[in-house]
Amino acid sequence: MTIRTILTYPNPLLRQKAKQVGTFDKELEQLIDDMAETMYDAPGIGLAATQIGDSRQLIVVDISKEKRDKDFMPLVNPRIVSSEGQQIDEEGCLSVPELTSNVKRFKKITVAYQDITGEAAEITAEERFAVVLQHEIDHLHGILFIDHLSPLKRQLYKKKVKKMLAGEERPSG
Ligand code: NI
C-alpha cells in the first residue's frame, strides 16, 4: 500500500470528470488499498480517486464504528438514484485546505454502485453518511464543496489561497 499525494485546490485535475470503471482487476484493488491508506493517513472520512489524480469513478468512505477501526467501503461507478429532504452540515475537504463551511445537501439518498468485483449494489444513507457520499460523488464530477457556497464566500476563499500560495513562494530568511 502506498500513501498517495492528495491534490489541492486550485489544481485543475480536481475539475476533471471521472470515467466509468469497466475493468475490475488487481490494479483496481491496489488503487482502492492506496486510497484507503491515503484517507486514513490524512486523516479523512472519504476520498475520491479524482483527489489523487486518477480519473476513475471510484470513492472510498470510512464506515468504522469506532475511531480506531479502519473499516472502509469502496464504491465503484457510484451514482445517486434517489434523494429526499434537506440538511445543512459543516463540511471540509482534504483538497480544500483551511476551510470548513455549512453546505446544503439531501438528507437521505440511495446510491447505486458496483463493488470491488463489479457486482451491482445499492446503499441508502442518511444524515452524516449521506453528506459524505454526496461530497465524494461530487468530486467525480469535478465539483468541490466550495462550489456550493455563496459567490462571496468562494471569492474570499480564493483570495486566501492566493495569499497562501504567495507565502509559499516567498524566500525564507
Ligand atoms: Ni473532498
Side-chain angles (χ1 to χ4, degrees):
M1 288 200 278
T2 314
I3 294 169
R4 307 281 196 102
T5 303
I6 298 174
L7 307 178
T8 54
Y9 176 86
N11 191 311
L13 290 177
L14 290 169
R15 296 307 193 178
Q16 274 194 332
K17 285 189 173 52
K19 296 178 192 75
Q20 271 228 302
V21 175
T23 309
F24 296 81
D25 57 4
K26 279 263 170 277
E27 198 264 333
L28 184 73
E29 283 175 33
Q30 182 68 54
L31 174 62
I32 290 168
D33 279 350
D34 285 358
M35 283 173 61
E37 179 104 346
T38 305
M39 172 177 77
Y40 286 119
D41 177 70
I45 50 169
L47 191 74
T50 314
Q51 292 178 274
I52 56 163
D54 189 293
S55 65
R56 274 175 275 188
Q57 290 181 11
L58 167 65
I59 63 172
V60 295
V61 289
D62 176 54
I63 50 165
S64 305
K65 294 224 160 49
E66 304 279 340
K67 226 183 166 182
R68 61 188 149 84
D69 295 339
K70 288 185 176 178
D71 298 327
F72 66 91
M73 183 180 160
L75 291 90
V76 185
N77 301 325
R79 60 194 175 90
I80 297 168
V81 290
S82 74
S83 58
E84 62 183 76
Q86 273 183 359
Q87 60 176 325
I88 294 173
D89 204 349
E90 194 173 36
E91 292 184 31
C93 178
L94 298 173
S95 294
V96 183
E98 311 275 333
L99 184 74
T100 57
S101 192
N102 281 335
V103 178
K104 194 198 281 177
R105 300 278 189 186
F106 297 121
K107 191 161 188 72
K108 185 177 175 181
I109 54 166
T110 299
V111 174
Y113 67 98
Q114 282 164 280
D115 71 10
I116 196 166
T117 66
E119 192 85 34
E122 259 187 22
I123 185 170
T124 297
E126 287 182 80
E127 311 284 337
R128 192 70 191 155
F129 191 43
V131 170
V132 175
L133 287 173
Q134 288 170 85
H135 177 116
E136 299 310 330
I137 291 171
D138 261 3
H139 275 301
L140 302 181
H141 299 280
I143 299 167
L144 299 170
F145 85 93
I146 48 173
D147 301 331
H148 294 283
L149 306 182
S150 71
L152 178 67
K153 269 194 181 168
R154 203 162 44 241
Q155 221 35 58
L156 283 173
Y157 181 67
K158 279 183 189 170
K159 270 189 193 159
K160 190 172 169 179
V161 170
K162 258 190 196 160
K163 264 191 193 163
M164 288 194 297
L165 291 176
E168 274 174 18
E169 279 158 21
R170 205 177 304 138
S172 55

